[in-house]
Amino acid sequence: MLDPEQLQKGIFECFKYSSHNGVSLQCFISYCVCVFPQLEEWWLDAAYLELRYPSHLNVNFGGPAPYLEHCWPPTEGVQLQRTSISMWHTLQYWDLLRTERLDPHKAGNVALDMDQFRMLFCTCKVPGVTKDTIINYFKTESEGPCPSHVVVMCRGRFFSFDAVCDGHILTPPELLRHLTHVKQCCEGEPAGDGVAALTSEERTRWAKAREYLIGIDPANKTILETIQSSLFVVSLDDAKPYATAEDYTPMTREALTGDPTIRWGDKSYNSISFADGTFGSNCDHAPYDAMVLVTQGYYVDQQLKASDGKWKGSETVRPMPLPEELVFTVDDRVRSDVAHAKQQYFETTQDLQVVCYAFTSFGKAAIKQKKLHPDTFIQLALQLAYYRQHGRSGSCYETAMTRRFYHGRTETMRPCTLEAQNWCHTMLLPAASAEAKRKALLLAFNKHNKLMAEAQNGKGFDRHLLGLYLIAKEEGLPMPDLFTDPLYSKSGGGGNFVLSTSLVGYTTVLGAVAPMVHYGYGFFYRIGDERIVASCSAWKSSPETDAETLFQNLVTSLHEMLHLATTAQL
């Protein structure tokens, strides 16, 4: 990636940094560790809350639900019935959290921090002129009362109802009654004002629009608080993606870039119900990492599979109030703000290329049979795919989970190592022998596994560098040249990774994100025993990138790697 002169200059900056300003910053960060909440707050601000560009598309993650692979294939006329059952299972998961019956997660014998799970329900980001805030209303039963209402959005309109009646969660027939009422209210009527589209705006512009909205009618503030405190948002979407188990592209694209008037972009969980009976989600990334939603999504998936997607309980519908419509007071300025938000959103989403396919030739079982780590296998295949397509290595971010620590979230693992680069170069040399490729591959595997273990155990360096950067900024100290050196951003520093990647896990749940940079890719993947499903995104306006081509190159790389592992008997 770097020429010798750049590398020499970068090394010099690192030495200069560590021998001068770095010393005082290191001492200060040691002190800050003793007041950890401030460090935690600094990270959240820098990573999410101080960002000013639109977060709905650039920060949120979205993805398809896997139910179509078993009991719920695309089918028209069942949207509301299926939504009622999906909602019921989601509410059961909320009850597990509220009653503290969800088993703590473990990595081997090590218990993992579960704090992020508090943010799945009753949570919302609120825009500020210079910095956003996260408001969390969730409480366990032992902590006190917790909001139990759900907001349903349909054709630009808002409705709300309590999901609990007389201490019991509403059953699917009762939920269906409410959803049917909402749908009937919206059918044949003009679309609502679409105020939700404002959440897709640039953050400062949205903050000012929100202030104005509250100013013209105090009732608008009450509606905003009702949305913010709701358990989650259900989006009744008229789109019919008609995805398949082999091609999730239409669903993934709709989940990530669909109608902004029926998604509250700041909400921790938007459950999207499509008109063809399939489902997706769109979630703000600031309160929690994707693994929280993956766990909830996998729970619902397994419950649906066990019941064949059917409700087998009572059909009785208790008497209760119908959903209440939440109607914002708007004027010409608000309508203009909504129109502007929709225009910028659609212009941006139309530029985003999203593909999501299943690779079905093999999966985790075949990879582990070769005594290779499945995640490392995919990451190195991606490095080779990018190298083949672009003729060079690309700086890469992979999520390393740090929930072994108190309130731990993530650290950066950098798969673009010298060993990986050397292996990619060797793989494309016509004269390279299988033995040379094998040795280079093993070195790349070992280096990747070592760096991932270090990152997960708190020995990564990206979060540490961020802490030093923020301390210098906070204390008014001279900013070390390391952070302004082009080498730093070229390596991915400052959120400039060409490949933004994450293993979503070994379940049935997948997500997708937009690229970090205009000339980059977003790449999420899940690994099953016999299949690998991956989503890839790129900006169409970038002449350098193409998500479809990258995925096809990934397929080629996967086949080549397994062939190499088989013939060389790794």
Side-chain angles (χ1 to χ4, degrees):
M1 290 174 60
L2 308 171
D3 59 48
E5 185 177 343
Q6 284 180 311
L7 184 59
Q8 186 176 13
K9 183 176 183 294
I11 292 172
F12 172 75
E13 292 297 345
C14 287
F15 276 115
K16 186 171 74 170
Y17 173 62
S18 62
S19 60
H20 291 94
N21 285 338
V23 174
S24 58
L25 291 177
Q26 294 283 5
C27 293
F28 197 79
I29 202 170
S30 297
Y31 162 73
C32 285
V33 168
C34 299
V35 286
F36 182 82
Q38 186 170 8
L39 278 178
E40 186 179 3
E41 180 182 328
W42 282 350
W43 178 83
L44 189 61
D45 289 349
Y48 296 109
L49 302 182
E50 291 177 349
L51 302 178
R52 295 294 86 195
Y53 50 70
S55 63
H56 188 164
L57 185 62
N58 295 289
V59 174
N60 287 22
F61 54 84
Y67 319 141
L68 61 78
E69 292 187 14
H70 46 85
C71 58
W72 284 355
T75 308
E76 292 194 38
V78 296
Q79 179 186 25
L80 301 185
Q81 180 189 29
R82 288 181 178 180
T83 303
S84 69
I85 296 172
S86 172
M87 283 181 68
W88 186 79
H89 287 298
T90 299
L91 291 167
Q92 297 304 310
Y93 192 82
W94 164 68
D95 191 58
L96 287 177
L97 290 172
R98 181 146 162 72
T99 56
E100 300 178 74
R101 291 181 292 121
L102 185 68
D103 291 335
H105 293 179
K106 291 186 176 182
N109 293 321
V110 179
L112 301 179
D113 186 276
M114 298 290 286
D115 183 68
Q116 291 181 57
F117 284 78
R118 300 179 63 90
M119 299 292 182
L120 178 58
F121 298 106
C122 307
T123 302
C124 196
K125 186 167 63 185
V126 176
V129 173
T130 58
K131 186 180 81 170
D132 300 341
T133 55
I134 295 174
I135 301 181
N136 175 243
Y137 303 82
F138 175 82
K139 289 183 179 180
T140 63
E141 279 189 347
S142 63
E143 292 170 336
C146 173
S148 56
H149 64 282
V150 174
V151 167
V152 180
M153 299 171 65
C154 181
R155 299 184 182 177
R157 296 165 67 178
F158 301 82
F159 298 82
S160 179
F161 62 84
D162 201 318
V164 175
C165 178
D166 297 330
H168 297 283
I169 291 172
L170 270 57
T171 64
E174 292 168 338
L175 293 167
L176 178 59
R177 173 178 177 267
H178 285 344
L179 294 171
T180 302
H181 174 77
V182 169
K183 197 74 170 178
Q184 288 173 344
C185 287
C186 295
E187 284 181 343
E189 297 294 326
D193 293 305
V195 173
L198 293 173
T199 65
S200 71
E201 260 287 12
E202 186 271 340
R203 301 306 296 173
T204 298
R205 188 180 179 96
W206 163 215
K208 292 178 179 178
R210 184 179 183 276
E211 289 176 355
Y212 180 79
L213 192 62
I214 292 172
I216 60 175
D217 188 343
N220 287 342
K221 183 177 181 181
T222 302
I223 295 174
L224 288 168
E225 290 174 345
T226 299
I227 297 169
Q228 290 162 192
S229 60
S230 64
L231 286 169
F232 55 97
V233 166
V234 175
S235 304
L236 296 181
D237 200 319
D238 290 332
K240 300 175 182 179
Y242 285 107
T244 67
E246 287 69 42
D247 184 1
Y248 272 103
T249 298
M251 279 176 66
T252 307
R253 184 169 52 238
E254 283 293 335
L256 200 59
T257 66
D259 186 354
T261 68
I262 54 170
R263 289 145 174 73
W264 197 261
D266 292 340
K267 194 66 181 160
S268 60
Y269 181 29
N270 291 269
S271 176
I272 306 169
S273 168
F274 296 114
D276 65 354
T278 59
F279 294 81
S281 61
N282 189 286
C283 309
D284 177 30
H285 203 336
Y288 62 82
D289 298 314
M291 194 50 61
V292 173
L293 191 75
V294 168
T295 305
Q296 179 270 334
Y298 187 59
Y299 168 85
V300 173
D301 184 52
Q302 295 305 295
Q303 296 300 313
L304 288 173
K305 188 178 290 187
S307 62
D308 198 28
K310 299 175 182 177
W311 169 247
K312 300 175 182 179
S314 171
E315 295 294 329
T316 301
V317 176
R318 293 168 289 174
M320 64 187 75
L322 289 170
E324 174 191 4
E325 184 166 9
L326 310 174
V327 182
F328 284 99
T329 299
V330 300
D331 60 12
D332 288 343
R333 175 176 164 179
V334 174
R335 294 187 189 96
S336 176
D337 286 341
V338 169
H340 182 275
K342 290 165 69 175
Q343 180 183 359
Q344 66 82 24
Y345 177 79
F346 287 125
E347 285 176 357
T348 306
T349 56
Q350 286 168 11
D351 187 38
L352 187 65
Q353 178 192 20
V354 180
V355 299
C356 185
Y357 301 124
F359 172 82
T360 57
S361 297
F362 61 85
K364 180 178 66 175
I367 297 171
K368 293 190 73 172
Q369 190 178 37
K370 305 302 177 186
K371 296 182 172 57
L372 297 172
H373 195 293
D375 176 53
T376 309
F377 195 97
I378 306 301
Q379 282 291 332
L380 290 177
L382 180 61
Q383 285 291 311
L384 181 57
Y386 184 90
Y387 196 99
R388 189 191 308 274
Q389 184 168 333
H390 295 276
R392 63 182 185 276
S393 298
S395 60
C396 184
Y397 164 91
E398 181 185 5
T399 304
M401 179 270 294
T402 56
R403 287 171 56 207
R404 288 175 171 84
F405 303 96
Y406 178 74
H407 286 190
R409 288 192 57 169
T410 64
E411 172 60 280
T412 297
M413 190 274 154
R414 294 172 173 246
C416 185
T417 62
L418 288 174
E419 290 81 359
Q421 184 177 9
N422 179 62
W423 172 68
C424 292
H425 176 72
T426 304
M427 286 294 290
L428 299 182
L429 282 178
S433 66
E435 180 63 15
K437 294 176 181 179
R438 182 189 74 85
K439 287 182 178 179
L441 178 60
L442 282 177
L443 288 173
F445 257 91
N446 291 338
K447 184 59 174 288
H448 187 104
N449 294 341
K450 177 177 181 291
L451 291 178
M452 178 58 81
E454 289 176 352
Q456 290 178 338
N457 285 285
K459 296 178 181 178
F461 63 84
D462 276 271
R463 297 294 180 266
H464 188 77
L465 285 176
L466 177 64
L468 297 176
Y469 172 86
L470 294 175
I471 289 167
K473 185 178 176 182
E474 180 86 5
E475 296 300 305
L477 299 172
M479 190 59 63
D481 292 340
L482 172 67
F483 296 111
T484 57
D485 192 300
L487 173 63
Y488 181 67
S489 60
K490 191 171 184 179
S491 72
N496 289 289
F497 289 98
V498 174
L499 291 164
S500 174
T501 78
S502 185
L503 167 64
V504 180
Y506 300 92
T507 72
T508 57
V509 182
L510 183 62
V513 291
M516 273 192 191
V517 294
H518 185 250
Y519 50 90
Y521 297 92
F523 185 81
F524 273 25
Y525 53 100
R526 61 175 169 95
I527 306 174
D529 286 340
E530 306 297 335
R531 65 195 332 241
I532 298 160
V533 186
S535 65
C536 187
S537 65
W539 296 110
K540 297 175 185 176
S541 55
S542 169
E544 300 179 47
T545 57
D546 185 271
E548 180 80 36
T549 304
L550 186 68
F551 184 86
Q552 297 309 322
N553 279 322
L554 176 76
V555 170
T556 300
S557 298
L558 290 169
H559 282 298
E560 288 181 349
M561 288 176 67
L562 189 67
H563 178 73
L564 179 62
T566 301
T567 56
Q569 296 183 346
L570 289 177

